[in-house]
Structures are given as C-alpha cells and as structure tokens.
Amino acid sequence: PRRPRARGPPATRQRLTSSTFVAVLPAGHALAGARSVAPGDLADEHVVTTPRGFGNRVVAERAFAHAGVAPRADTEVADVGDLPAFVAAGFGVAVVPADMYEPAPGAVAVPLDAPEAWSLGLVTRPHPGAAAAALVASLVASLVTGREQAPAG
C-alpha cells in the first residue's frame, strides 16, 4: 500500500493589484464620449480579445454573461497591451482591465459599468529563498511605483 504523501506548509497568497475594466472603442464610435459603457451596449460589436483561458478574458466574459450578452470574439491577440491598437485599426472593440490599458492613437477608453474586477495575485512558499523573495519584492515595488525594477544582486 502507498503511504500518503506528506504535505508541506500551506502556500502564502498575496493580492498584488485589482482593476475595474474599461471598454476600448474606436475614437469615432458612437459611445466614445460616454461617461461609462454597460456590457450590454457592446452586445452587437465585434470584439478583439485575448485567447481563451487568459484571466482578463475570463473575467470580462463573466461581466458580459451577467448582462445576458455573448459578444462575438472575432480577433484574438496574445498581448493585452496590443488590444487598443487593434481597436484603432478597426478590428472591433475591446474590454481590458483599466490598469492594463495602453493608449493608442485612434482608440479611447471608457469605464465599463460592471461590478467585475480583474485581480493579479502571487502564490509563494511560506519561506521563499533569497532569489524568490527578491523577485516578489521587485514585483510588489513595480506595481507600487508603476515601473519595472530589476532585483538587486
């Protein structure tokens, strides 16, 4: 008979950031000047999004589902930061976490009126080694300061 595997100490979880969503629209879109956009307002739009399984897409699809709509995901782009450029080029509209929105000429961001938020977290061992601890500290510092910092050493 197999002996049960010993379990180590529980992992440590840390939320790094949380962000509401924005709708990214072409500058000439009818809703481009709106104070906010509801998911239902985008029901008939062609949507540019990330591939299935990406966290931001999972949460955005949940927002659409809560509104009772299932927009057409016609174009998939692997980098969230590139979505506004695809919107500006006329591929459709996008929904991205506000913290991840990268401005692009010809696209505007309008707050999405939905309760869903995208969260980024980190799971580590309770007592990480020096290299892992430095990486965690660098990630936390880059989110706090808004710029990437290389770990010392």
Side-chain angles (χ1 to χ4, degrees):
R2 288 188 158 196
R3 201 183 312 179
R5 187 174 180 182
R7 299 186 85 206
T12 300
R13 297 184 325 202
Q14 180 178 3
R15 178 177 281 180
L16 299 177
T17 188
S18 183
S19 177
T20 57
F21 282 82
V22 294
V24 183
L25 309 169
H29 192 280
L31 297 172
R35 293 175 68 94
S36 66
V37 174
D41 295 335
L42 306 176
D44 296 326
E45 300 284 349
H46 294 276
V47 175
V48 182
T49 187
T50 52
R52 288 195 182 280
F54 278 46
N56 62 291
R57 179 171 175 172
V58 170
V59 179
E61 286 179 343
R62 191 175 306 136
F64 283 116
H66 286 156
V69 297
R72 297 181 306 270
D74 295 323
T75 305
E76 292 182 344
V77 179
D79 189 337
V80 174
D82 290 338
L83 291 173
F86 278 79
V87 169
F91 284 83
V93 301
V95 174
V96 302
D99 288 351
M100 298 176 79
Y101 172 68
E102 296 284 337
V108 298
V110 178
L112 188 70
D113 187 14
E116 287 76 16
W118 173 84
S119 296
L120 176 65
L122 187 64
V123 177
T124 61
R125 294 179 176 173
H127 306 289
L135 177 60
V136 169
S138 177
L139 288 170
V140 171
S142 70
L143 288 167
V144 170
T145 62
R147 64 180 185 275
E148 293 182 14
Q149 297 177 359

